[in-house]
Amino acid sequence: MNVPLVSIGIITYNHEKYIRQCLEGVMMQKTNFPFEVIIGEDCSTDNTRKIVEEFEAKYPDVIKPIYQEKNVGGARNAYEFCYPKLSGKYIAICEGDDYWTDPLKLQKQVDFLENNPDVVLCYHRINRVNEWGEIIHKRESTDKITYLTQKELFHISIPTLSIMFRNCIKEIPKEIIDAQCGDSFIRGMLASHGNAANLGFVGAHYRIHPGGVYSSKTTVEQSLYTLNARRQMKRSAYFNKYQKREIEKEYLERKFSYLVHLLKKMEFSNFFKILFH
């Protein structure tokens, strides 16, 4: 059996409507290297597990599920159970309600990382779609590659389903479980290992739907998630004092932006929720 060059991490819970499209987007990838799919099925109450089992039976050398016996939550499912199983040189992520659209996505990203050893992660543009897969925010592909410094990685949001990074994080800090936005935490950790690059092409669809862990939240709830992630990062011994300075700067800038927005809308109750975070 070939050792996978890329490990794909997927977590899923009650994604019966979406998980098939997610896994089809993975299995349509055209690569000159082997890859594996580590999928954490978090004891869904719908038919998600049956669909995962169907793909496991069809692609037994690729699809490697972790079936939880009880619901453990997204953070533990991702970082306590799935992440340690990702053995490839590179890691890609796609949550069970999102899906990849470019069959060369993985190949493009691997080729880039192989040729740019100073880059620890690369990503691409995504479209946003509704629960039925209809595009509600469309991006255009570009051939222009944009580079980001290690410091800039603390001040940018990157769609998780678009990222591929080097498998260089060997221990996951306990604070990430409480961070709520674990993707921000991971990006910050990766900043210790190199720069980043936006490859410009559109390669996936991010789905916004009523059951989405993040997309279904109110704007204020999303803001609190984002701020909490930075707070947990500031507490973690993983980051040095210079990195924590950037984390604190990003925390304060985001908090100020949220407060100004809420004040203009005269949402005083939500204003104080953010103010006293």
Side-chain angles (χ1 to χ4, degrees):
M1 181 178 174
N2 292 328
V3 177
L5 184 69
V6 175
S7 291
I8 300 159
I10 299 175
I11 58 170
T12 185
Y13 175 70
N14 284 358
H15 288 153
E16 176 184 359
K17 296 179 181 178
Y18 316 122
I19 189 63
R20 184 179 301 279
Q21 193 169 28
C22 172
L23 293 174
E24 286 174 346
V26 171
M27 296 312 302
M28 76 172 181
Q29 292 297 305
K30 299 177 181 178
T31 66
N32 61 12
F33 54 82
F35 60 85
E36 66 177 357
V37 180
I38 306 297
I39 177 166
E41 200 294 300
D42 200 11
C43 201
S44 298
T45 58
D46 61 9
N47 287 319
T48 297
R49 180 164 296 196
K50 290 182 180 179
I51 297 171
V52 172
E53 289 172 341
E54 174 189 326
F55 275 80
E56 179 188 16
K58 189 173 181 179
Y59 306 102
D61 293 333
V62 178
I63 306 291
K64 304 173 183 179
I66 298 172
Y67 296 118
Q68 302 295 356
E69 295 182 0
K70 62 180 181 178
N71 183 262
V72 298
R76 289 190 63 206
N77 193 22
Y79 300 112
E80 184 178 332
F81 293 96
C82 290
Y83 195 91
K85 301 292 186 181
L86 303 176
S87 61
K89 180 179 179 181
Y90 303 113
I91 293 173
I93 307 294
C94 187
E95 295 192 356
D97 50 353
D98 301 324
Y99 59 103
W100 298 340
T101 56
D102 186 341
L104 296 176
K105 166 198 156 64
L106 293 181
Q107 188 68 57
K108 292 175 182 177
Q109 292 184 287
V110 164
D111 289 346
F112 183 83
L113 290 173
E114 290 281 273
N115 291 314
N116 294 271
D118 61 317
V119 174
V120 69
L121 74 91
C122 63
Y123 62 102
H124 54 76
R125 296 181 174 185
I126 55 105
N127 291 327
R128 286 176 167 79
V129 300
N130 60 22
E131 58 184 305
W132 301 284
E134 300 166 339
I135 295 176
I136 56 180
H137 185 260
K138 183 177 177 59
R139 300 295 304 277
E140 299 296 331
S141 291
T142 176
D143 294 330
K144 181 181 179 181
I145 297 174
T146 305
Y147 292 88
L148 293 87
T149 65
Q150 291 169 279
K151 182 183 291 188
E152 287 174 320
L153 271 173
F154 289 100
H155 303 285
I156 187 173
S157 295
I158 299 175
T160 305
L161 72 161
S162 74
I163 194 172
M164 179 182 285
F165 57 94
R166 300 182 188 278
N167 192 353
C168 55
I169 300 173
K170 302 308 178 186
E171 286 191 29
I172 297 294
K174 64 181 186 306
E175 293 87 359
I176 200 171
I177 302 298
D178 299 319
Q180 294 177 314
C181 286
D183 50 351
S184 302
F185 208 115
I186 287 289
R187 287 199 307 273
M189 294 170 69
L190 289 168
S192 301
H193 300 275
N195 302 316
N198 181 350
L199 304 190
F201 69 91
V202 176
H205 284 176
Y206 172 75
R207 195 187 306 270
I208 298 173
H209 63 96
V213 172
Y214 184 80
S215 64
S216 65
K217 303 298 182 184
T218 66
T219 301
V220 172
E221 288 172 333
Q222 291 178 353
S223 301
L224 289 170
Y225 266 42
T226 302
L227 292 175
N228 185 63
R230 272 73 187 179
R231 175 177 284 181
Q232 295 298 331
M233 291 167 72
K234 287 190 294 180
R235 292 173 177 170
S236 177
Y238 188 92
F239 301 103
N240 61 40
K241 64 178 182 180
Y242 303 105
Q243 292 171 324
K244 288 187 177 182
R245 187 181 302 164
E246 296 303 319
I247 296 167
E248 175 69 9
K249 181 180 177 182
E250 179 67 7
Y251 175 87
L252 293 175
E253 288 179 351
R254 284 180 179 267
K255 187 172 184 176
F256 180 77
S257 175
Y258 299 153
L259 289 172
V260 169
H261 173 73
L262 292 169
L263 198 59
K264 287 181 178 178
K265 295 183 69 176
M266 294 192 293
E267 293 186 16
F268 299 116
S269 176
N270 288 328
F271 175 89
F272 285 110
K273 286 181 183 179
I274 298 295
L275 181 64
F276 294 113
H277 180 268

